[in-house]
Amino acid sequence: MELFNIKECDIKGKKVFIRCDFNVPMDEYGNITDDRRIRSALSTISYCLDQGCAIILASHFGRPKGEPDDKYTLAPIARRLHQLLKIEVQMAEDVVGESAQKLASELKGGEVLLLENLRFEKGETKNDPELSAALASMAEVYVNDAFGVSHRAHASVEGITQYFDDTHKAAGFLLQKEIQFFGTLLDRPVRPFAAIVGGSKVSGKLEALINLLPKVDKVLIGGGMAFTFLKALGHDVGNSLVEDDLLDEAINIMDEAKRLGVKFYLPVDVVAAEKFAPDAMSRLCSVQEIPHGWMGLDIGPATVRLYRQVLADVQTILWNGPMGVYEMDRFARGSNKIAHFVADSYATTVVGGGDTADLVQRVGLDEEITFISTGGGASLELLEGKILPGVKPLLK
């Protein structure tokens, strides 16, 4: 996909609206615990500053219910941007109200304004044309650098692009990098190419799996979704998470992998627990011996060894979805072991954002991965072969 790039736009001295993804994790005291998404936007912001632009930054944070909520203010983001850019970052009290309009109209070249949380406006997630027009009226150029929300047809992502012609809208450096990286990964991977697919449900990864099968050499399944495949093969998986309506689809996927000559691997052992709780009684067992009424919450050591052997000769690894309930330390061991092996691999390693990116960051391996996507849902839709709503208006 060829996108209009920010370098192809005449932005010198202009007022630029940059849609960013500053939806970062914070602790209960409002302190940012991982600023990777903020740092990822700095190259685009700095480039615009070098061009003498007046910059209006916009982002959502959390899930406010379409109205102002102090819990979801972007004030901590403004403070972190000030620390990273080493210049003053003005903060609007609203999104398109009196404060935002006044500050935007007075903004001069070399200055930065951050609007308040976009989702304080009900029209943002509804792709409301009035909100799109109000946002667009603040600037002369629109730049999308928010890969993490580009799969959403929201007012600041898709709707706003209708108010700028092709010479005044473009992809930022981060968005361009994400699209190009996944394009190369799927079209011209260095082989052997393995996909590690985990997470809780098959339904969330179904289309991605179907689209990946003709492109990969090996598929390794983990997480809760593995039990739908195991049950489809006739195993008694106890009370493990299973999507019974997808058992036939699971068989079809495995049959298609066999037809294409793709090696398809499922766990051979699990850490099973009597209930979904960090203090639950647990034990290691093979997938054929899960106790009645118990549930599998992590892959076991034999599966870890098997997956290490399977990955030993691959040249490209794509990982989307943890291998177990990594948020609970007792059921994070399998995911952590795989993370260390992927990080130590000589292959090109790609982590598909979301929970997997969080997992890799938790174990301190984010610097060892070739590429970590900033968007879980967006990267998944790319893997499904879709053109994202926020990307389509920027295509050449």
Side-chain angles (χ1 to χ4, degrees):
M1 287 185 283
E2 286 291 320
L3 306 180
F4 284 104
N5 190 288
I6 188 172
K7 286 191 173 182
E8 298 171 314
C9 283
D10 177 19
I11 65 170
K12 197 169 186 65
K14 289 187 167 61
K15 197 166 287 184
V16 179
F17 185 105
I18 307 177
R19 178 40 160 116
C20 300
D21 181 8
F22 295 148
N23 189 29
V24 295
M26 291 192 196
D27 64 20
E28 57 189 303
Y29 305 107
N31 299 309
I32 298 168
T33 56
D34 179 8
D35 67 356
R36 184 172 63 250
R37 286 184 171 180
I38 300 175
R39 287 185 284 110
S40 295
L42 294 182
S43 58
T44 297
I45 297 170
S46 297
Y47 176 78
C48 292
L49 286 172
D50 290 343
Q51 299 295 313
C53 298
I55 301 172
I56 299 165
L57 302 176
S59 177
H60 73 287
F61 170 67
R63 296 180 182 270
K65 298 177 180 178
E67 57 187 31
D69 184 337
D70 288 344
K71 179 182 176 182
Y72 297 108
T73 179
L74 293 194
I77 309 293
R79 290 192 291 271
R80 183 58 59 91
L81 281 166
H82 166 67
Q83 294 169 352
L84 294 169
L85 292 170
K86 297 181 171 51
I87 61 172
E88 181 189 358
V89 175
Q90 301 178 53
M91 177 82 196
E93 297 174 3
D94 48 37
V95 181
V96 290
E98 187 178 331
S99 172
Q101 294 288 349
K102 181 177 185 296
L103 289 172
S105 66
E106 296 173 352
L107 203 64
K108 297 179 177 62
E111 295 181 343
V112 178
L113 167 66
L114 176 65
L115 303 181
E116 190 47 284
N117 192 334
L118 286 163
R119 292 188 185 171
F120 285 178
E121 293 282 341
K122 285 186 173 68
E124 165 64 1
T125 56
K126 296 177 180 177
N127 204 7
D128 178 51
E130 287 188 21
L131 178 58
S132 297
L135 292 169
S137 70
M138 297 182 185
E140 301 163 273
V141 177
Y142 172 76
V143 174
N144 183 356
D145 211 28
F147 175 74
V149 289
S150 287
H151 62 309
R152 306 289 190 195
H154 289 174
S156 66
V157 178
E158 194 269 342
I160 191 173
T161 61
Q162 299 173 31
Y163 299 90
F164 296 89
D165 61 36
D166 287 346
T167 62
H168 291 84
K169 60 186 176 186
F173 296 126
L174 173 62
L175 180 62
Q176 186 88 18
K177 181 180 178 183
E178 295 263 12
I179 296 297
Q180 288 179 341
F181 203 97
F182 277 100
T184 302
L185 177 74
L186 296 176
D187 294 340
R188 300 183 300 279
V190 179
R191 297 187 180 279
F193 177 15
I196 307 171
V197 185
S200 57
K201 295 184 177 181
V202 176
S203 54
K205 306 286 172 74
L206 184 61
E207 289 185 54
L209 268 173
I210 292 169
N211 193 50
L212 277 172
L213 281 180
K215 304 175 188 296
V216 300
D217 303 294
K218 305 178 183 185
V219 175
L220 296 77
I221 301 292
M225 65 185 294
F227 298 103
T228 297
F229 287 97
L230 290 167
K231 184 172 182 179
L233 291 174
H235 295 298
D236 181 357
V237 296
N239 282 354
S240 302
L241 182 63
V242 171
E243 292 174 279
D244 288 311
D245 58 327
L246 291 178
L247 294 177
D248 289 342
E249 197 64 55
I251 291 292
N252 291 339
I253 288 172
M254 290 186 284
D255 286 345
E256 180 65 5
K258 185 176 182 180
R259 186 186 73 79
L260 293 169
V262 175
K263 302 296 185 183
F264 198 92
Y265 297 90
L266 291 168
V268 294
D269 67 338
V270 297
V271 180
E274 61 177 349
K275 61 181 179 179
F276 187 85
D279 60 346
M281 184 182 299
S282 64
R283 58 177 281 192
L284 284 172
C285 57
S286 72
V287 294
Q288 293 93 346
E289 298 176 320
I290 298 174
H292 180 71
W294 285 39
M295 60 183 67
L297 296 179
D298 191 16
I299 58 173
T303 303
V304 171
R305 286 193 295 272
L306 169 65
Y307 285 6
R308 286 187 65 169
Q309 291 170 358
V310 170
L311 294 170
D313 69 335
V314 302
Q315 295 299 307
T316 305
I317 300 173
L318 168 65
W319 185 11
N320 190 297
M323 298 289 97
V325 186
Y326 76 100
E327 300 91 341
M328 299 181 189
D329 288 343
R330 289 182 63 195
F331 309 114
R333 193 177 181 91
S335 295
N336 293 348
K337 290 278 190 181
I338 295 297
H340 279 279
F341 183 72
V342 170
D344 291 340
S345 170
Y346 287 101
T348 297
T349 52
V350 182
V351 166
D355 288 341
T356 326
D358 179 47
L359 159 66
V360 169
Q361 192 269 336
R362 281 187 186 211
V363 293
L365 296 171
D366 44 324
E367 298 296 328
E368 308 301 320
I369 303 297
T370 307
F371 184 76
I372 300 178
S373 176
T374 56
S379 63
L380 195 59
E381 290 204 9
L382 279 184
L383 296 178
E384 292 170 4
K386 296 179 180 177
I387 298 178
L388 310 183
V391 170
K392 189 174 181 180
L394 307 178
L395 291 173
K396 289 184 177 179

